[in-house]
Every structure is written in structure tokens, then in C-alpha cells.
Amino acid sequence: MSETSHPVQTHHRICPLCEACCGLEIKVQDQKVISIRGHEADVLSRGYICPKAIALKDLHEDPDRLRAPLIKRNGQHEPATWEEAFAEIEKRLPPLMATHGKHAVAMAVGNPSAHKIGLLTYFGKLARAIGSRNVFSASTLDQMPKQLASGLMFGHWLSTALPDISRTDLLVVIGANPLASNGSMWTVPDFKGKAKALQARGGQLIVIDPRRTETAAVADAHHFIRPGADVFLLAAMVQVLFAENLVNLGRVAPWVQGVEEVRTAVAGFTPEAAASRCGMPADTIRALARQIASTPKAAVYARIGTCTQQYGTLASWLVDVLNTLTGHLDMEGGMLFAKSAAFASNTVGKPGVGKGVSTGRHHARVSGAPEVYGELPMTCMAEEIETPGEGQVRALITVATNPVLSSPDGPRLAKALDSLDFMVSLDIYLNETTRHADVILPGLSPLEDLHYDVAFPQLSWRNHARYSAPVLPRPEGQPEEWQTLLKLTAIVQGQGAGQDANLLDDQQFADDADRLFGPHAAAVIAATNGLRGPQRGLDVALRSGPYGDQFGLKPKGLNLQKVMAASDSGGIDLGDLQPRIPEMLRTPSGKVELAPPLLLQDLERAAQDLQGLAPDLVIIGRRDVRTNNSWMHNLPTLAKGPFRCSALVHPADAARHGVQDGAMATLRNGHRSVQAQVQFSTDMMPGVVSLPHGWGHNLPGAQLRVAAERPGANINALLDDQLRDPLSGNAVLGGVAITMEPAATA
């Protein structure tokens, strides 16, 4: 150590780069990160990390990461002060709203915000202040079907049944690759280690997927399935349960209704009828159903592959139907519900009954797509900007999202964004979407921000409470992200850009406390004295949550101070998941709704399609542990190594279409086309091509220098933004028919 160096400091924090939320040990010297490793004592991840965590250093130090606001002047983005940026927004946004109305402003939010408590808890304040129906999020690009199915069955959008992986004896994984993702809508760090433990105790892992994925490679069995056919497979397995008298509801029997309605609805989905569409023998379908039913501790888990298709909600629902009818719902070793320490709606209010969920409270102006969970499909955004008339979107606020790459028909959306009267982006990069913005407001590096996961403890394999303080100081003069959102809220409310964000927060908190706690509001305000922003909201959520101290009534309970104090020791372990039905239900009936009418009606659509012919060649996406999001392609630690944006093609398909290994091929869907490098792979089901999501870094104006070195092909440029699951509005990203041919040479 040199004479001028300071001692090495050790910090513990939660990784914010994917849903696994692993605990990290970060060593810092002289404000520089010198090492990142897994935190062995972390109660959730126990020392496990993936390569993304190491890349936090790259992200913090990335020269392309924005450190100051940008304002577009004469077509060029120029650095500006925060005061100038807010003044520009105040000059342009309120007059636009006054002239064209609140619905002329759209908002779009991306999945990085789910890892930022400030963005997640304060975005809603801005959205409510604007009052526009045009709210879009990344949820309709990957997970809304699961949220809708869970909401209809159990009463809330995040009441998601999770595999009890540490105690199950059979885990069936459909259309998911948790070895790469460490769970999706299922926070399960070190899935590989847990799968090995399952097998070591005599259990089995079975994977059903159009690709022999990394997860399938370590499984006991893998079955190919045609993309988009999950609904037929699942309905057929449910039909077998009824036909062979294998239905056994187990402990949840008193709280389940709709069994007979499901029996009638699936009667025509026999294994023989479904086999051709699934590309799976009828005997295999029947054997899988029997194995799930006969294994006392079994769980069926499905994710992105089952969601990003035209029957996404039906497939998500039938997974839970299958788990319920085989007696594995809310059972140890089966599917259980987490009990989050804070923010979970299924832990507050009257237990066992609630309002449930509804959709269609308003509809998209152009397509008529229904609102789901307060938002419209992301794929409606371009048409809402393009189409003249009352309510036309003329301004857009984006928060940590890059839909030009991540949403279908990105070229159409990019053109639409250029036609906006005004656009503001909260983002750390000048990327393929924010290049269209008139003002860009940078966020903090994750290492400069506090961290508490709001959503993921509701989806975790184990109950816990963990908090991270900032590792590095916030740059002088830069507001925290929640303060930026409050300033924008003040601007759209006509209070002006000069408002003090802290005073705004104090007033909003006082109003919220009065609404939530009535005569006890003053005591709550006093109990949280000295806290502001997300910390104050978190303290209230912890103290009033299921493990909380109830503001002193239960002295041994949780509060923010206790959770913060446990950071270095790995957080607070709240134990294994436990059966929670009926108390966690929030349906009006107080029952598990096995047969929601909305879903039974849509199942008729699937029944009509059962005899249809599968396309000759279809495309699906895939994810890699290093490339979950488009901005990760700009981090050297993750970008190095083999090129990962290749089109995986079975050799038999390559021969039929005349393409060569390592050569470029043109993939077409109608008038849309992309060129991608071919990679032969017998891991692909014949008739299926796989191209990863989030690439295409060759658009002018973006400042992602590392990503631009190997830009890759954008699969979403092939996809139709009008193709959606009609119930959830989720984009159809897989099972789309394409053609393939050798790329023309110059």
C-alpha cells in the first residue's frame, strides 16, 4: 500500500443486475472498486454470484455512462446542468399538456427500475400526477401473462406460486432456463447447485423446451416441444388427470372452486389430439401427467417461453391448474407463496379475501387493447404516437427502458419517436431509444445508490429481508432518482422546477400517512423522523408488514434500523416458505379461482387452433447469463469471449434452406428481415431457429462503443408489434413463422 492510499473498505450489497439478487462483498480503496465476490454469509445466495456481478465495476466506470444531463440542440445532445434540464422540461411539457390534454403524454418504464427502490416507488407518483392512460412497461414484453393468471386465481398480480426447490422430489421446467437466469419471476440464486442437491436426494429435473438449454443439459430428461404449443401440452396433461381419476387437491381442497368447469373445458384436449401440435408423442404427454400426479412432492415451473406467445396467459394459468389438481399447490415440496417482509399486498388487509384483479378499465385508443395492471401493451406505443386524433401521444417520458431494441418492430417505433413533440428519458446511457430524447436525465450508478428489493422478496425461494447502503458517494449536485421523479411531478402539477424535492417528499408522506393511518398519522410521522425518500417508505412498510414491530407494539419485530444493521451479516433470514392458503388469498370469493371465465373463454380459441398446422420454420429468443439486457453488451467483462448473437440452426434445417455454419443468413417475416450469423446446433428442435434478445447496436446516434464493436442482429426487428396475447397484451416473441436463406453477398 502506498503512503497516500487509504485502507481497504469492505461493503456488502445486493446485486441489482438480475432477479437472482445475490449478495456481494465489494472491496473499495480510494473510491475505486478493487474486488467483487460473493458474500458467503448472505442469507439468500450464500456466496453464489454470476459474471454479471463482477461487471458492476465496469458499469460504474463505463465512460459511456452518463454523468450529466443532456439537452438536444440542433439535433445534437449537449451537456447541461440539472437546472437547465429541468427548466427545459418546464418550458415544454406543461404547455403541451395544457394544449393537448393529459393523455398526450405517455410513460414507459423498463425492468432495471424493478431493481431501484427509488424508481419503483416514485414512478407511480409521477404517473398519477400526469393521469395519462398511456402507461407502458417491459412487463408486457415478458411476464404479464403470469401476473394476470396469478391475479385471477389468487387475487393479486404478484401472488405467484413458487417451486419449493429445496424440498421437492420432481421439478418440471417448461419454457424456462433458470441455469442461465437463476430464476425469472422466481428469485433462486445458484439454481444449478439446488438442482444438483435435488438430484442427490433422489429427485428428478425434467425440462420441456424447443432448445436443449443449459438447464436441459443438467436435467434427468429433456423433451422437445414446438414453440407456442405449451397450452396444448398443459391442457392435455390436465385432461389426463381427469380421464384417469388422478385429481387430488390435497390440503387446499376446501379453498378451491371451479374444478368441474376445468374438467369440461379440457375434455377435447386429449394427448392424441395435442401430440401433433406439440411435436411430442401422446404416450410421453400421458406419462408426464402420471409422474407429476404420483410424485408426492412435485412442482411444475414455466416462464418466458410460455409467456411470450399468443396463448401466454392460458399457458401460465394451466401450469397452476396442473399443480393444483395434483395436490402440489401450497404444499411443502410443491408450489408455495413467499411472505415478503414489506410491500406485499397479500400480507396486508383482511386475510383470505379481497377485491381481486380486473382488466379493461380503459383501452388503447387505436387498437382497443385492454388495460392490464394499470398499463397498456408496450407494442401499442408506436401506433398511439403515429395516429392523429384526440388523445394522440405527443410527448413521452421513458425510465430505464430501451424498447427500440427490446420491443417488436423497433424500426417502426424509432420512426415514431422521431415524430414526437417532446421526449424526456431517465437513463444512464445514450442508447437506441434515448437518442430520440430532447432531454436525458442520468441516473446513479448502482454503487452510488441504496438498495432494497421491493418485488423480488415476493418471488424468492426463501423469505428474507436485506438492505444495502451505497458503496460509493453520490456525485455532488446530482439528485437521487426519487428526487428527480418528484421534481418532474412538481413540474407537471404546475408547481415549477424550483421546488425542493425534500419538501415535496415531506408533504407527500404526510398526505399518505393521513390516508393510510388516519388518527395515527402523527405518530407514524414522528416514528420515521429523520428519514426521507425510499428509506422512509421502506421503514413504514417493514414496520407495518407481517414481521414488523408495528411501531413499537411488537418490540422484537422488524424495522429499517434492524434490517440495515444486519447488512454485513448477510441480512435477516425469515425461513423456508410455508403454506399460506387461505390467508394469502385476495379473491372476492376467498377461494382459489381455478376456472376464471376470462380464461375459459380464451381456451375455446385454443381448442379451435388444436387441429391447425404448425409452421415449417419458427424463431424463438434465448438468454445468456452475460447478456440479459441490451446495456450489458457495453460492459467489457460481459462482452468478451465468443460472439453470442448467433442464430442457432439445426443442421437439417440448414441443409433444407441452404445456409452454412458460420455464414450469414437472412431471416424474414413478411416485409421484415434481419441478417444473422448461423451456428449449427443439434440442441435445436428441427424447425426452430434461436436468436437472442436485445441486440442490434448499429443504430446512429447511440453511444455504446463496446456494444457497437459487435452489434449483432435484432430479433425484435423481425417481429410484428400487432401480434399479442389478447388477454394480457403481452408481445408474441416466440413461435413466429419465418423463412431463412443465405444472405446475399456484395
Side-chain angles (χ1 to χ4, degrees):
M1 184 184 302
S2 69
E3 293 182 1
T4 58
S5 295
H6 294 90
V8 174
Q9 296 177 314
T10 300
H11 300 263
H12 295 104
R13 71 154 295 138
I14 304 158
C15 182
L17 298 185
C18 79
E19 294 183 42
C21 307
C22 298
L24 310 179
E25 182 178 282
I26 302 178
K27 292 188 181 296
V28 174
Q29 186 176 35
D30 298 324
Q31 306 302 319
K32 295 286 187 181
V33 174
I34 60 174
S35 75
I36 300 176
R37 56 181 294 179
H39 186 194
E40 296 289 342
D42 187 85
V43 299
L44 188 73
S45 57
R46 298 295 182 188
Y48 174 83
I49 58 170
C50 80
K52 294 192 294 296
I54 308 301
L56 271 173
K57 175 179 169 64
D58 285 356
L59 177 60
H60 180 74
E61 298 174 355
D62 190 350
D64 288 340
R65 183 171 64 82
L66 301 179
R67 270 79 170 174
L70 299 178
I71 297 177
K72 185 180 284 186
R73 297 187 175 102
N74 299 317
Q76 299 294 320
H77 285 101
E78 299 178 359
T81 67
W82 283 93
E83 291 75 15
E84 290 170 334
F86 285 127
E88 181 74 6
I89 296 168
E90 183 178 14
K91 181 176 76 173
R92 299 180 64 179
L93 188 57
L96 186 149
M97 292 179 65
T99 301
H100 299 289
K102 61 186 180 182
H103 299 306
V105 181
M107 287 159 284
V109 61
N111 61 16
S113 66
H115 300 271
K116 291 267 200 171
I117 186 172
L119 292 180
L120 195 62
T121 57
Y122 280 73
F123 175 79
K125 297 177 186 293
L126 175 61
R128 287 190 293 273
I130 293 175
S132 174
R133 65 172 170 252
N134 291 305
V135 177
F136 309 92
S137 91
S139 293
T140 53
L141 299 176
D142 68 357
Q143 70 188 48
M144 193 61 84
K146 188 63 184 175
Q147 292 185 269
L148 176 55
S150 297
L152 292 171
M153 290 185 71
F154 308 120
H156 193 267
W157 309 95
L158 286 175
S159 290
T160 303
L162 310 167
D164 187 17
I165 190 170
S166 61
R167 295 178 288 194
T168 194
D169 293 323
L170 173 64
L171 178 61
V172 180
V173 175
I174 305 176
N177 190 12
L179 200 72
S181 66
N182 283 294
S184 179
M185 292 201 74
W186 179 30
T187 294
V188 53
D190 191 18
F191 173 86
K192 185 176 183 179
K194 294 176 177 61
K196 285 184 175 180
L198 182 157
Q199 293 166 322
R201 62 178 179 263
Q204 283 191 294
L205 171 64
I206 297 174
V207 173
I208 300 169
D209 200 281
R211 179 169 74 94
R212 190 175 292 107
T213 62
E214 294 85 349
T215 305
V218 303
D220 298 279
H222 167 247
H223 302 283
F224 282 129
I225 184 172
R226 293 189 184 280
D230 307 271
V231 63
F232 308 118
L233 168 67
L234 290 160
M237 287 198 286
V238 171
Q239 192 273 344
V240 170
L241 299 180
F242 287 113
E244 300 188 7
N245 296 316
L246 299 175
V247 172
N248 175 17
L249 297 179
R251 67 166 297 275
V252 300
W255 301 288
V256 175
Q257 65 180 18
V259 173
E260 291 307 311
E261 289 89 339
V262 172
R263 180 198 298 271
T264 301
V266 300
F269 291 88
T270 64
E272 287 73 20
S276 176
R277 286 302 307 272
C278 295
M280 187 182 297
D283 288 347
T284 300
I285 298 173
R286 190 169 278 107
L288 284 167
R290 291 169 178 166
Q291 184 176 4
I292 295 166
S294 63
T295 304
K297 293 183 177 182
V300 181
Y301 165 73
R303 252 310 275 132
I304 287 181
T306 58
C307 285
T308 54
Q309 56 169 281
Q310 61 175 324
Y311 297 113
T313 304
L314 288 181
S316 300
W317 161 62
L318 285 167
V319 168
D320 285 326
V321 169
L322 185 61
N323 283 313
T324 303
L325 293 177
T326 51
H328 301 311
L329 179 67
D330 208 43
M331 288 287 290
E332 181 179 310
M335 302 292 287
L336 293 167
F337 298 90
K339 181 182 281 188
S340 177
F343 300 111
S345 293
N346 65 21
T347 64
V348 298
K350 184 178 180 181
V353 67
K355 295 188 297 183
V357 303
S358 60
T359 66
R361 291 173 294 180
H362 58 266
H363 292 76
R365 177 179 64 102
V366 179
S367 71
E371 161 274 334
V372 179
Y373 202 7
E375 61 189 71
L376 297 173
M378 184 73 90
T379 52
C380 290
M381 189 156 58
E383 65 190 24
E384 292 293 336
I385 298 170
E386 296 169 344
T387 308
E390 185 177 353
Q392 179 183 7
V393 169
R394 297 172 179 270
L396 175 65
I397 299 172
T398 70
V399 178
T401 187
N402 191 6
V404 168
L405 286 195
S406 62
S407 187
D409 207 346
R412 178 187 182 186
L413 179 58
K415 184 177 180 181
L417 296 181
D418 270 338
S419 71
L420 287 167
D421 293 341
F422 190 53
M423 179 174 168
V424 178
S425 291
L426 280 69
D427 210 288
I428 60 174
Y429 283 113
L430 180 57
N431 61 28
E432 293 80 8
T433 295
T434 63
R435 67 193 171 119
H436 298 276
D438 298 284
V439 180
I440 306 177
L441 305 172
L444 295 170
S445 157
L447 299 182
E448 297 163 349
D449 204 2
L450 64 89
H451 187 98
Y452 184 94
D453 283 306
V454 173
F456 301 119
Q458 302 179 52
L459 303 169
S460 289
W461 77 281
R462 188 170 186 85
N463 294 317
H464 66 278
R466 300 178 303 155
Y467 176 92
S468 303
V471 173
L472 297 171
R474 175 165 49 98
E476 184 177 355
Q478 177 158 354
E480 297 187 60
E481 289 158 345
W482 63 270
Q483 293 174 320
T484 297
L485 289 169
L486 279 184
K487 295 273 279 188
L488 293 177
T489 301
I491 288 172
V492 300
Q493 289 178 328
Q495 300 177 52
Q499 294 292 315
D500 184 289
N502 289 333
L503 294 180
L504 292 169
D505 189 53
D506 288 342
Q507 183 58 58
Q508 288 199 6
F509 181 74
D511 293 342
D512 289 343
D514 186 62
R515 175 174 53 84
L516 295 172
F517 297 100
H520 304 292
V524 170
I525 293 171
T528 56
N529 185 41
L531 297 175
R532 274 206 173 98
Q535 280 192 325
R536 180 160 52 185
L538 174 57
D539 191 36
V540 171
L542 286 167
R543 301 182 81 165
S544 58
Y547 311 94
D549 70 359
Q550 305 303 312
F551 298 95
L553 295 178
K554 296 182 178 180
K556 294 184 179 181
L558 294 184
N559 55 37
L560 178 58
Q561 184 178 10
K562 291 180 181 179
V563 177
M564 291 175 66
S567 295
D568 287 341
S569 59
I572 297 175
D573 183 13
L574 298 172
D576 291 320
L577 305 190
Q578 300 294 330
R580 290 192 59 200
I581 289 177
E583 60 87 8
M584 56 71 57
L585 295 175
R586 292 298 183 271
T587 54
S589 65
K591 301 289 182 72
V592 174
E593 296 291 352
L594 205 64
L598 185 69
L599 302 183
L600 293 184
Q601 181 179 356
D602 199 44
L603 194 60
E604 297 176 6
R605 177 172 65 101
Q608 294 172 4
D609 192 23
L610 183 58
Q611 303 305 320
L613 296 176
D616 175 68
L617 188 68
V618 300
I619 195 163
I620 61 172
R622 69 177 185 272
R623 68 189 315 177
D624 182 277
V625 69
R626 294 174 177 266
T627 62
N628 279 358
N629 291 312
S630 61
W631 53 269
M632 292 180 182
H633 306 159
N634 206 56
L635 307 181
T637 296
L638 301 181
K640 67 183 181 181
F643 183 54
R644 297 180 178 87
C645 189
S646 56
L648 300 183
V649 180
H650 192 279
D653 291 324
R656 285 193 301 125
H657 295 274
V659 299
Q660 300 298 316
D661 190 25
M664 300 298 290
T666 299
L667 309 177
R668 299 185 189 278
N669 173 21
H671 67 276
R672 304 172 182 87
S673 67
V674 299
Q675 289 192 350
Q677 182 176 312
V678 171
Q679 180 180 346
F680 285 6
S681 175
T682 55
D683 288 336
M684 296 305 304
M685 184 180 191
V688 184
V689 173
S690 174
L691 189 65
H693 166 86
W695 295 77
H697 302 287
N698 55 358
L699 300 179
Q703 187 175 311
L704 297 163
R705 282 169 283 190
V706 172
E709 292 174 3
R710 294 193 289 183
N714 182 7
I715 183 176
N716 290 308
L718 270 180
L719 305 179
D720 184 353
D721 62 357
Q722 299 303 296
L723 194 56
R724 296 184 280 268
D725 167 26
L727 301 187
S728 67
N730 206 90
V732 175
L733 307 179
V736 174
I738 62 167
T739 61
M740 179 172 60
E741 61 194 38
T745 56

